[in-house]
Amino acid sequence: MEKIRISKLMAERGMCSRREADAFIERGWVRVDGEVVSELGSKAYPNQKITLEKQARQKQTQRVTIILHKPVGYVSGQAEKGYRNAVSLISGVTQYKGGRGGVRFEPGHLRGLAPAGRLDIDSTGMLILTQDGRIARQIVGEDSVIEKEYLVRVSGKLTERGLAMLNFGLTLDGQQLRPAEVSWQNEDQLRFILREGRKRQIRRMCEMVGLKVVGLKRVRIGDIVLGDLPVGQWRYLKEGEHLA
């Protein structure tokens, strides 16, 4: 049995992100089989027990996760080509008054806040931003099976075979896509449920079956729904809310 970096093991077990793991190790907040580990790059066997000290657990509980209704025209990550990024929308002014959940906005909540997944500049709907690496990994980790639901307005003619291909049978960038759930929501709108997130995946899938996407809105990630959250406003993930 080969030893693996402890930070990698911690990320694989969903304890935190690899970056967070390194920070906890540096502070001496990680134990392997009861022994404190404080040297970066330390390794352990996959069957060894890894635990976090109380200080690390407390730090995790202080981290916030934000649900944003991203408008069209904003990029998910770094600002580019004159476009603002989604994080720039987070302030006390844009906090949804119906969704405070007992948490008051503080500027410190912007520190390390990053989008968990993408929502392209031409799309609107739910974007999750978080300081918590565990939540980010649930959504965008390689082994993630969290559902993302979209309402997609399209133009063009979709055949029965085309609809079947959208559900399963398409390949992007040389890789077969995971099975999806695609059905008609109404006469010009499709409902997509995906368990992966390739770049501009839905738009490219639609192009492959002769459709053009006119509008795209993400309405759910896991068990979290966008609901009545207004465009351009945000709320905190509430206590008791979980992705799955």
Side-chain angles (χ1 to χ4, degrees):
M1 189 183 296
E2 190 176 340
K3 284 189 172 184
I4 300 171
R5 281 183 70 125
I6 293 168
S7 58
K8 186 172 187 288
L9 286 172
M10 291 171 69
E12 287 175 350
R13 295 179 189 183
M15 297 174 71
C16 57
S17 70
R18 291 181 72 162
R19 182 184 294 178
E20 288 171 327
D22 283 338
F24 293 159
I25 289 169
E26 276 190 307
R27 290 171 171 81
W29 293 350
V30 177
R31 289 179 181 266
V32 176
D33 288 344
E35 296 293 322
V36 172
V37 176
S38 57
E39 185 177 335
L40 285 178
S42 296
K43 296 183 178 183
Y45 291 109
N47 61 353
Q48 289 187 277
K49 183 179 180 181
I50 301 173
T51 55
L52 291 175
E53 297 286 76
K54 184 171 71 173
Q55 300 97 309
R57 296 196 303 272
Q58 287 175 338
K59 195 167 183 64
Q60 286 183 323
T61 61
Q62 292 166 1
R63 293 190 171 139
V64 300
T65 295
I66 281 171
I67 314 299
L68 170 69
H69 191 158
K70 187 189 87 67
V72 169
Y74 283 78
V75 295
S76 299
Q78 294 294 321
E80 57 186 59
K81 298 177 184 175
Y83 294 104
R84 295 172 64 192
N85 60 4
V87 174
S88 68
L89 287 166
I90 310 301
S91 72
V93 175
T94 54
Q95 185 176 10
Y96 179 43
K97 299 301 185 285
R100 289 186 180 276
V103 181
R104 185 176 178 180
F105 173 73
E106 296 177 14
H109 293 164
L110 297 174
R111 195 175 303 117
L113 189 69
R118 294 183 300 264
L119 190 60
D120 68 56
I121 194 167
D122 301 317
S123 302
T124 185
M126 182 187 292
L127 182 66
I128 293 181
L129 303 108
T130 186
Q131 295 175 324
D132 193 331
R134 296 169 300 174
I135 289 176
R137 187 177 181 278
Q138 269 189 281
I139 298 171
V140 298
E142 287 182 11
D143 56 350
S144 173
V145 291
I146 294 289
E147 290 183 349
K148 291 98 174 175
E149 182 177 342
Y150 305 80
L151 297 179
V152 185
R153 284 190 296 113
V154 294
S155 62
K157 183 173 175 58
L158 180 64
T159 64
E160 286 188 18
R161 174 168 169 73
L163 182 60
M165 293 290 285
L166 287 174
N167 277 273
F168 186 59
L170 295 178
T171 299
L172 286 182
D173 304 323
Q175 275 191 310
Q176 188 169 51
L177 295 174
R178 293 178 186 175
E181 294 175 36
V182 185
S183 58
W184 284 106
Q185 181 78 3
N186 53 49
E187 61 183 19
D188 69 346
Q189 188 167 237
L190 290 165
R191 176 175 171 264
F192 276 71
I193 297 177
L194 305 181
R195 293 170 185 83
E196 59 188 326
R198 308 277 186 87
K199 189 173 183 180
R200 296 181 75 84
Q201 179 173 336
I202 291 176
R203 294 177 190 276
R204 295 167 70 193
M205 289 172 71
C206 287
E207 285 173 7
M208 294 172 80
V209 296
L211 296 176
K212 180 180 179 181
V213 172
V214 179
L216 190 154
K217 180 179 183 180
R218 184 157 61 200
V219 296
R220 177 173 66 86
I221 296 177
D223 291 341
I224 310 300
V225 296
L226 187 64
D228 59 359
L229 184 64
V231 177
Q233 294 190 29
W234 63 275
R235 66 173 180 84
Y236 289 107
L237 186 70
K238 299 171 186 172
E239 191 176 346
E241 277 189 311
H242 302 285
L243 286 166

